[in-house]
Amino acid sequence: MNHGLIPAKWAALNPARPAIIDIPNNRRINFGELDARVCQLANGLRQGLGLGFGDRVAVLSKNSIEYFEIYFACAQVGLIVQPLNWRLGASEMARIIEDGEPAAVITSSEYGGQRQALRKKVDAAHWLEFGDSADGSYEALLAAASAEEPPQSNSVGDDDPFLILYTGGTTGQSKGALHSHRSFSMGMLNQTVAERIVPSDVYMLTGQMFHIPVGLAMNYMAHGCPIVLINFDPKLALEVIEEHQVTSFLGVTTMLNWMMAVE
C-alpha cells in the first residue's frame, strides 16, 4: 500500500467530497483539490528539487492542510517525512535535523524565527515556507509542477520507508523510529477494527501532526472521512463537534474533564 494515494482514491470516487476543514486558518479543501496539490508537491520535490528515493523532508508547523499535503506527497514518491516537534528549542530541533539529514526543510511562516535560527545551524539543500507571511517558495514549487500522478507512485509502498517519528528521549537523547508503509498500515488496520470506522464518520484531530495522531487522521481519510483540524480548546472543541457533526476524536482524560466542565 502507498499511503500517498489515499487522496487519489477519493478524488476519483467523489472529488467534491470534503477532505479537510482547517478551523484555525478558516480554510477547507475537498479530495479533488487535495489530490491535485499533493501531486504537484510530489512532482515538485522529485523533479523540481531533484530529491531522490529515501531522502528526508523535515517539517516544522502546527496542524494545517499543507502538513497533510507534505505527508501524502512524500509517501507517494518514496520520500521520508521527518516531522519536528515545535515545542522543542532551536538546539534540540537542530540536533534532530542533523540526525535525520533532510534534503529539504519545510516550515510554516509562524515559525519564521526558528527557521532563521535553524538555517544558521543546519546544512539542508532546500528550504520552503508556507503560510500568510511566507516567502512564497512552497506555493511557487507547486505552481511550477504537474498535477498528474507522479510516475514513482507505482513502485513505492509496503516495506519502503515513510516516516521518522522521534521518541521522547526519557532515557537519553531523542531517537528516530522509522516506519514503513506496511507498519503504518498495520496500525491503521487495528484502529479501523477497534473504532469501527465507516465513511460517514467525521474525525476531529486534536493531537499534533508531528507525532502518531497524524496516523489516526490519515486512516479516517483512507475511509473517505473528512478531518476537522483544531488547536485544542475545550469550548471550541464542543462547538466544532456540534457544528460539524464530529463522530470521533482522540481525547485524554484531562481534555475530557475540561470539556465536561465547560458551562
Side-chain angles (χ1 to χ4, degrees):
M1 177 180 184
N2 183 334
H3 292 294
L5 296 177
I6 288 173
K9 170 187 174 180
W10 289 100
L13 292 172
N14 186 355
R17 190 180 181 94
I20 306 169
I21 302 166
D22 185 347
I23 300 297
N25 297 300
N26 193 28
R27 296 171 57 207
R28 62 176 62 213
I29 192 170
N30 61 39
F31 275 103
E33 295 164 336
L34 177 63
D35 181 51
R37 285 178 60 84
V38 166
C39 289
Q40 286 178 296
L41 179 58
N43 284 315
L45 291 171
R46 287 299 297 264
Q47 277 76 50
L49 300 186
L51 273 58
F53 178 85
D55 279 346
R56 275 74 63 202
V57 177
V59 190
L60 177 60
S61 174
K62 288 186 178 177
N63 296 355
S64 64
I65 290 173
E66 287 86 356
Y67 217 146
F68 276 108
E69 293 170 357
I70 295 165
Y71 269 104
F72 287 126
C74 288
Q76 261 199 17
V77 292
L79 303 175
I80 304 172
V81 186
Q82 186 186 358
L84 301 174
N85 183 343
W86 45 262
R87 295 188 178 99
L88 298 178
S91 60
E92 294 172 300
M93 286 188 200
R95 193 200 67 79
I96 289 174
I97 294 177
E98 289 167 355
D99 178 71
E101 298 182 335
V105 180
I106 305 177
T107 64
S108 72
S109 57
E110 179 180 3
Y111 294 104
Q114 289 90 330
R115 180 175 187 254
Q116 294 304 316
L118 288 172
R119 293 194 72 161
K120 296 177 182 178
K121 296 174 178 287
V122 175
D123 182 23
H126 305 284
W127 292 78
L128 302 172
E129 188 179 36
F130 64 85
D132 292 338
S133 57
D135 60 9
S137 53
Y138 181 90
E139 292 298 332
L141 183 69
L142 269 69
S146 169
E148 297 295 319
E149 186 176 306
Q152 297 90 346
S153 65
N154 293 321
S155 58
V156 172
D158 296 336
D159 294 321
D160 291 329
F162 167 41
L163 161 72
I164 301 176
L165 294 178
Y166 278 78
T167 64
T170 53
T171 57
Q173 290 186 326
S174 181
K175 303 170 184 65
L178 182 64
H179 288 264
S180 67
H181 287 260
R182 190 187 303 277
S183 67
F184 214 66
S185 293
M186 293 302 99
M188 292 167 72
L189 177 61
N190 288 337
Q191 182 197 16
T192 298
V193 174
E195 299 183 19
R196 302 180 182 181
I197 301 173
V198 293
S200 58
D201 280 325
V202 177
Y203 188 75
M204 181 173 68
L205 180 57
T206 56
Q208 287 297 316
M209 293 175 66
F210 59 66
H211 219 268
I212 203 61
V214 69
L216 309 181
M218 288 178 69
N219 190 27
Y220 274 88
M221 294 182 76
H223 291 80
C225 306
I227 303 301
V228 184
L229 301 180
I230 68 168
N231 292 317
F232 182 76
D233 171 87
K235 187 173 185 296
L236 173 64
L238 292 172
E239 293 171 350
V240 168
I241 289 171
E242 181 177 7
E243 179 180 355
H244 296 283
Q245 300 297 292
V246 170
T247 60
S248 305
F249 71 95
L250 174 66
V252 299
T253 304
T254 303
M255 295 164 65
L256 299 177
N257 287 338
W258 285 345
M259 291 168 69
M260 289 189 292
V262 173
E263 297 182 355

